[in-house]
């Protein structure tokens, strides 16, 4: 699977074993880099890790059933800034860049441990075990808390406080955790101190992000659904694009409320919707939709 990242001058396409490519907006190749690795993913799943851009840095993670590593490149030239070996099996959770106490760090959720690396140095700042197997959702951050989640074997959702160093496993740096109702595939949405979680079989939870107390928990949508795409939030609404033709719209807030169910006939939505300029873009199995106001 192809993963993309954009910046002001172009587009990056990351193909895992087949390298990373940088194009300008006219489609001209600016640079490319092959890491010379043949990734071996668990159960032959795709190499779907998304690249992440922070400033002039391009962050790539190669977690697989071999010699895993993370690399940070100069986004303008493709030159390697640093590379860090990682003791991790296959992983699909995209890294998250956060700034805390004036320094940027890269948080990567993975089976053995959630780890944070100094963006400038590549050195591990902190690590925390207990996330569970096969993490796919990307971590999210509010103030001094980072939320990392898995929903497969030994599922866990952890709220980890920034500001510590070393191994945080089993310490009070883990402010709260949740092992039920976690997402296997979809990343959560965090807004207004509320953390929204969508399971692959269509159950929705909303937590107080600071305390972990649920406003509602494992609440089912009006009919059975299957989800792979992540929910997105905009204008007080949460958009859920299913594999079963429907795009369900919820009201964001402490109360579970379905505002609309929009049926897109014969469409299976795997890709996460994108919102820009007051319009929502939905990529189905054979069509791309752009939906906006009049």
């Amino acid at each position: 699977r192809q993963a993309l990242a954009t910046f002001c001058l172009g587009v990056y396409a990351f193909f895992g074993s087949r390298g990373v490519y940088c194009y300008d907006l006219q489609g001209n190749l600016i640079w490319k880099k092959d890491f010379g690795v043949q990734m071996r993913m668990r159960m032959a799943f795709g190499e779907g890790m998304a690249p992440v851009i922070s400033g002039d840095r391009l962050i790539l993670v190669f977690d697989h059933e071999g010699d895993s590593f993370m690399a940070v490149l100069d986004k303008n030239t493709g030159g390697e800034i640093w590379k860090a070996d990682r003791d991790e099996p296959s992983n699909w959770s995209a890294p998250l860049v956060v700034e805390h106490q004036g320094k940027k760090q890269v948080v990567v959720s993975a089976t053995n441990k959630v780890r944070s690396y100094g963006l400038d140095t590549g050195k591990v700042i902190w690590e925390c075990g207990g996330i569970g197997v096969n993490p796919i959702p990307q971590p999210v951050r509010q103030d001094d808390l980072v939320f990392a989640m898995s929903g497969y074997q030994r599922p866990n959702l952890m709220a980890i406080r920034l500001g510590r160093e070393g191994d945080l496993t089993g310490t009070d740096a883990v402010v709260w955790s949740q092992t039920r109702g976690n997402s296997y595939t979809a990343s959560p949405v965090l807004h207004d101190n509320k953390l929204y979680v969508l399971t692959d079989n269509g159950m929705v939870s909303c937590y107080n992000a600071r305390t972990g107390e649920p406003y509602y928990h494992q609440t089912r949508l009006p009919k059975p659904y299957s989800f792979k795409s992540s929910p997105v939030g905009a204008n007080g609404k949460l958009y859920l694009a299913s594999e079963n033709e429907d795009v369900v719209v919820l009201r964001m807030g402490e109360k579970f409320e379905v505002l609309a169910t929009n049926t897109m006939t014969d469409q299976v939505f795997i890709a996460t919707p994108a919102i820009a300029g007051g319009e929502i873009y939905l990529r189905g199995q054979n069509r791309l939709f752009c939906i906006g106001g009049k």
Side-chain angles (χ1 to χ4, degrees):
R1 292 184 297 173
Q2 178 180 347
L4 297 175
T6 61
F7 69 111
C8 60
L9 298 177
V11 176
Y12 298 97
F14 178 40
F15 296 94
S17 299
R18 291 157 185 84
V20 58
Y21 299 78
C22 176
Y23 296 89
D24 65 22
L25 295 183
Q26 287 70 49
N28 301 307
L29 180 65
I30 299 175
W31 58 261
K32 62 181 180 179
K33 183 176 179 63
D34 185 348
F35 288 83
V37 59
Q38 180 58 54
M39 298 179 72
R40 294 182 287 109
M41 304 303 291
R42 184 180 187 192
M43 303 295 291
F45 290 155
E47 303 171 20
M49 177 76 77
V52 169
I53 292 170
S54 178
D56 62 355
R57 307 292 173 89
L58 177 66
I59 303 158
L60 307 171
V61 177
F62 294 78
D63 283 354
H64 66 120
E65 305 303 303
D67 295 328
S68 299
F69 63 94
M70 178 167 64
V72 172
L73 309 182
D74 183 314
K75 74 175 186 183
N76 300 306
T77 66
E80 186 174 296
I81 297 174
W82 57 260
K83 179 180 176 182
D85 294 334
R86 286 175 47 78
D87 177 24
E88 291 293 345
S90 300
N91 173 35
W92 296 268
S93 178
L96 172 72
V97 178
V98 301
E99 185 171 339
H100 185 68
Q101 296 177 345
K103 294 185 178 180
K104 286 188 175 181
Q105 49 186 279
V106 185
V107 179
V108 186
S109 180
T111 294
N112 292 333
K113 291 183 178 180
V114 182
R115 293 183 180 88
S116 178
Y117 300 80
L119 180 60
D120 292 331
T121 64
K123 303 298 183 182
V124 175
I125 299 173
W126 58 263
E127 57 187 12
C128 187
I131 193 61
V133 178
N134 274 27
I136 299 174
Q138 184 181 29
V140 293
R141 180 259 185 102
Q142 174 182 283
D143 301 326
D144 63 342
L145 293 180
V146 168
F147 303 87
M149 176 171 59
S150 73
Y152 185 49
Q153 296 176 359
R154 303 190 303 277
N156 202 6
L157 163 60
M158 298 192 299
I160 305 170
R161 193 180 304 281
L162 297 170
R164 306 280 187 87
E165 296 184 1
D167 191 347
L168 308 183
T169 307
T171 72
D172 62 359
V174 181
V175 177
W176 62 268
S177 63
Q178 175 61 257
T179 60
R180 296 174 54 246
N182 293 349
S183 168
Y184 178 35
T185 304
S187 296
V189 169
L190 181 58
H191 176 69
D192 192 26
N193 194 44
K194 298 174 184 66
L195 182 69
Y196 300 89
V197 175
L198 172 68
T199 69
D200 288 37
N201 62 353
M203 293 190 294
V204 187
S205 299
C206 176
Y207 303 98
N208 181 310
R210 300 299 304 180
T211 68
E213 292 298 317
Y215 294 115
Y216 55 85
H217 190 225
Q218 292 183 288
T219 302
R220 288 198 173 274
L221 294 170
K223 66 180 187 180
Y225 286 111
S226 176
F227 288 93
K228 289 294 184 291
S229 70
S230 301
V232 293
N235 195 29
K237 302 175 181 67
L238 203 63
Y239 296 86
L240 318 176
S242 76
E243 296 183 272
N244 316 97
E245 302 184 323
D246 288 351
V247 179
V248 183
V249 184
L250 307 181
R251 188 184 303 280
M252 300 177 80
E254 297 179 6
K255 181 182 177 181
F256 178 84
E257 182 181 356
V258 178
L259 296 177
T261 299
N262 304 281
T263 300
M264 316 291 282
T265 304
D266 296 329
Q267 295 303 307
V268 175
F269 294 103
I270 302 294
T272 297
I275 295 176
E279 298 171 332
I280 184 169
Y281 297 85
L282 299 161
R283 180 165 67 86
Q285 64 189 48
N286 51 32
R287 288 181 183 272
L288 177 65
F289 300 88
C290 175
I291 299 171
K294 293 182 180 180

